[in-house]
Amino acid sequence: MIELEGVPELIDPVMVAAFEGWNDAGDAASTAVAHLDREWKGEVFAALDAEDYYDFQVNRPTVFLDNGVRKITWPTTRLSVVRVGGDKPRDLVLVRGIEPSMRWRSFCNELLAFAHELGVEMVVILGALLGDTPHTRPVPVSGVTSDPDLARTMDLEETRYEGPTGIVGILQEACTHAGVPAVSLWAAVPHYVSQPPNPKATLALLNRLEDLIGLRIPLGELPEDARAWQVGVDQLAAEDSEVAEYVQTLEEARDTAELPEASGEAIAREFERYLRRREPGTGPGPGVATDGGDSPFLRDSGSGRTRPPKPEQPGPEAVPGTEQPDPAQRPDAEQGAEPGAEAAGGPAEESGGGRGAESAKDPGTEPEPPVEGAGGDAEE
């Protein structure tokens, strides 16, 4: 562990994490955390030692010039902190990095040590998977947890997945064994347009996070970017009759499956979000960062808190999603592009440098194991 600054003194902190690679279809999850860090001007206070967790032949360091001086940026995971202002200010600890190549249990132990030291109340891990979802419909976002009580009180799904997993699933289970409440939010990215960026999926993750932690998140240009992204995909689909027909098939299946949810609780939830984002305020409300200047976070690192016990090796987790499409039904361009690339590495040893992601079956069922192609496997 490399501590870059002091240890912050935080108010009701929540840790929000995302990792590039297998769990990050369309870069949706890592971009969401980057958005929070940028909008709230996060202050980096620590980074994990890259030597301990990354294979530099897979995730290579980069060289750049700084005023004529050559410098190197190493692939790693960094922690920053943001203070959300308002009548009831609170802090977020943002964890952003690359899925590690090795020593996953030690990696999770280090993050949990930070969480324990900072008094983190809950860990929220963002992920994105490839799914059978049309780009023309709202992005499905599933919230899952290994804690039955948390699932009941926060209206989440309890994990029941068995199979290969990525760092998102390992970290969630490590939190569970260490007694830290943990939730994973998964956005389903259309498998036929999986290239990053995907601002629509990023926006959906941030909206779900907003509901989960009760903060108003400044969205900046994301809504406009999401609309532009969808218009662009619409135009591409219109140029290929086979793709257009396939998208229509996905739309019909989605609409039929979700017709019972088109009223009642789903509409009420969307209306509540609409009102929250438009209610008048008398000052900087939730989701508005305080001004810069002297950091309000730093304190003496001698907190007296002890590190958590090393968690047991965690098990896999459930990833609700959508059914993996039959390759025979896909457009020709998608043949052979099934999630689960060998180029991105196997699930437990793959580096986050790949841009693969997961795909999933219907909620409550197991995803298919990885196959050769470009992307990642369904998991959490």
Side-chain angles (χ1 to χ4, degrees):
M1 173 178 60
I2 303 174
E3 295 195 19
L4 303 181
E5 296 182 15
V7 179
E9 179 72 55
L10 305 183
I11 302 173
D12 301 329
V14 173
M15 179 177 281
V16 181
F19 304 94
E20 299 174 14
W22 207 53
N23 307 133
D24 195 22
D27 289 358
S30 58
T31 302
V33 174
H35 176 87
L36 297 176
D37 191 74
R38 181 175 59 256
E39 291 292 326
W40 281 326
K41 299 177 175 60
E43 299 176 19
V44 175
F45 65 89
L48 304 188
D49 192 341
E51 291 278 350
D52 291 339
Y53 305 112
Y54 295 100
D55 180 349
F56 298 140
Q57 290 183 323
V58 178
N59 296 285
R60 292 188 177 273
T62 58
V63 179
F64 66 98
L65 292 176
D66 183 9
N67 294 325
V69 179
R70 290 175 65 82
K71 295 185 178 181
I72 297 177
T73 299
W74 296 91
T76 188
T77 294
R78 293 179 173 83
L79 290 83
S80 60
V81 64
V82 299
R83 173 149 296 171
V84 183
D87 296 335
K88 295 181 179 180
R90 75 180 309 175
D91 298 310
L92 298 182
V93 178
L94 305 180
V95 179
R96 182 160 61 108
I98 304 170
E99 184 176 60
S101 307
M102 61 197 80
R103 303 184 64 205
W104 284 18
R105 284 176 288 182
S106 297
F107 180 87
C108 292
N109 284 339
E110 283 213 50
L111 293 181
L112 284 171
F114 272 114
H116 186 77
E117 178 70 16
L118 300 173
V120 166
E121 298 180 346
M122 182 171 65
V123 175
V124 181
I125 316 166
L126 306 183
L129 51 86
L130 296 180
D132 229 3
T133 181
H135 72 277
T136 54
R137 297 294 184 265
V139 176
V141 178
S142 301
V144 295
T145 180
S146 298
D147 186 334
D149 294 332
L150 200 62
R152 182 173 58 256
T153 58
M154 302 191 74
D155 191 25
L156 302 168
E157 298 183 42
E158 189 175 351
T159 59
R160 302 193 182 280
Y161 170 71
E162 295 179 333
T165 188
I167 194 60
V168 170
I170 298 299
L171 180 57
Q172 177 169 320
E173 290 303 308
C175 290
T176 299
H177 287 296
V180 179
V183 175
S184 296
L185 300 181
W186 288 92
V189 172
H191 66 82
Y192 58 89
V193 57
S194 60
Q195 299 85 354
N198 190 317
K200 187 173 181 178
T202 296
L203 181 61
L205 280 172
L206 291 175
N207 284 335
R208 187 70 169 85
L209 177 66
E210 186 179 63
D211 293 340
L212 185 71
I213 62 179
L215 292 178
R216 193 179 345 174
I217 297 174
L219 299 177
E221 298 179 355
L222 262 179
E224 182 60 32
D225 291 343
R227 284 190 290 269
W229 176 87
Q230 180 164 324
V231 169
V233 179
D234 285 342
Q235 293 174 347
L236 291 175
E239 295 173 358
D240 189 318
S241 60
E242 191 174 358
V243 173
E245 182 179 354
Y246 180 66
V247 171
Q248 183 178 1
T249 301
L250 293 179
E251 290 173 340
E252 293 172 353
R254 173 78 178 273
D255 294 344
T256 300
E258 296 192 350
L259 187 60
E261 300 179 8
S263 59
E265 184 177 344
I267 292 178
R269 187 164 51 244
E270 289 301 315
F271 186 62
E272 288 172 2
R273 180 185 292 124
Y274 173 86
L275 293 178
R276 276 201 308 273
R277 299 197 64 83
R278 286 156 180 79
E279 59 187 8
T282 57
V288 180
T290 56
D291 292 337
D294 294 338
S295 169
F297 308 115
L298 304 184
R299 68 172 173 84
D300 184 1
S301 59
S303 66
R305 296 193 184 104
T306 58
R307 287 175 174 253
K310 181 177 180 180
E312 303 173 13
Q313 182 173 3
E317 75 295 342
V319 181
T322 52
E323 184 176 358
Q324 180 64 28
D326 184 350
Q329 296 178 342
R330 296 189 186 176
D332 292 341
E334 288 302 311
Q335 297 295 331
E338 290 291 326
E342 280 201 0
E349 39 186 53
E350 167 217 3
S351 157
R355 280 292 181 266
E358 304 104 329
S359 60
K361 288 191 174 183
D362 289 335
T365 64
E366 298 181 7
E368 295 293 334
V371 296
E372 292 189 359
D377 189 29
E379 58 82 57
E380 184 171 306

